Amino acid sequence: MLKNNLFISLVVLIIGLSSCTPLYQTVYKTPENQTQNYKYIVIQDFSKLEGEWVPYDSNTTIPDMIANKLLEQDNFKIVDRTENAITDENERVLLVRGTVTKFENGCKFCEWLHLGVNDSGLGSISIWVQLVDKQSDTVISEFSLRGRAKKPGHGKYRYIRVVDQTVIFINEING
């Protein structure tokens, strides 16, 4: 009897730890052409889903973090947050639209229970993003992400995983 209980406890622990991944993603629309070769990108402030409480700064901090990561990588000629820097209307511009859809507070007991594996117990943020060709107003790609915070779990650390994955999606589209 003791062996059965120990075995069941071990299986539940393994399943529990393996199902606690730090990032969930759902892709609703994949790009038809894999490489788009945009030189300009505009990242608008994200909106907030009405009726859901999300951190007050999430709708501006997440786009700022995305813009900063893209600037560090130097894959675009102009990374704009205001739509004022791009004056040539003939250039192809990638527009990033997003919505912060949900925020879940962390659980200190869960963090202790899972021994902090994969940042278990820390809060998570959910976003929905559209990558749009500005000239034709065509949605190229559409996806949602839910990412758990990285330690210490507050401030910009809440957004790192969704920002990193959004940048990966943008770079995949831009070739």
Side-chain angles (χ1 to χ4, degrees):
M1 184 70 157
L2 183 60
K3 283 185 177 181
N4 287 342
N5 288 341
L6 184 61
F7 178 72
I8 291 172
S9 298
L10 185 60
V11 168
V12 168
L13 181 65
I14 290 171
I15 290 172
L17 290 177
S18 65
S19 66
C20 296
T21 59
L23 182 75
Y24 299 95
Q25 60 190 24
T26 305
V27 178
Y28 298 105
K29 182 173 189 214
T30 57
E32 294 170 12
N33 298 331
Q34 290 302 326
T35 55
Q36 302 290 331
N37 294 326
Y38 288 96
K39 294 179 184 169
Y40 303 98
I41 185 167
V42 174
I43 305 168
Q44 299 175 332
D45 282 350
F46 286 10
S47 58
K48 297 179 183 178
L49 191 63
E50 206 167 304
E52 284 286 329
W53 184 90
V54 296
Y56 72 94
D57 67 339
S58 60
N59 66 318
T60 56
T61 303
I62 293 172
D64 285 342
M65 290 173 68
I66 293 169
N68 289 335
K69 278 211 175 276
L70 290 171
L71 282 170
E72 288 171 8
Q73 295 174 353
D74 201 28
N75 292 337
F76 292 92
K77 188 173 181 179
I78 294 179
V79 177
D80 190 11
R81 288 276 289 120
T82 63
E83 294 192 52
N84 295 331
I86 302 167
T87 55
D88 188 0
E89 292 185 19
N90 295 328
E91 286 295 335
R92 296 183 64 215
V93 177
L94 181 64
L95 181 62
V96 179
R97 295 181 186 148
T99 304
V100 181
T101 57
K102 191 172 187 174
F103 178 76
E104 295 176 359
N105 284 319
C107 166
K108 284 296 183 189
F109 175 73
C110 301
E111 188 176 351
W112 174 82
L113 182 66
H114 290 111
L115 306 173
V117 174
N118 285 333
D119 299 321
S120 297
L122 294 178
S124 67
I125 189 107
S126 299
I127 63 171
W128 171 74
V129 178
Q130 283 185 327
L131 304 177
V132 180
D133 184 285
K134 187 176 178 189
Q135 197 170 29
S136 66
D137 201 35
T138 305
V139 176
I140 298 168
S141 182
E142 190 171 359
F143 54 91
S144 69
L145 301 169
R146 180 171 64 107
R148 205 166 317 145
K150 285 190 171 188
K151 290 192 185 288
H154 54 79
K156 291 183 178 184
Y157 294 99
R158 297 182 281 196
Y159 314 133
I160 288 175
R161 286 194 169 101
V162 294
V163 166
D164 288 347
Q165 190 60 42
T166 302
V167 169
I168 288 170
F169 277 121
I170 290 169
N171 285 331
E172 285 176 358
I173 283 177
N174 202 42

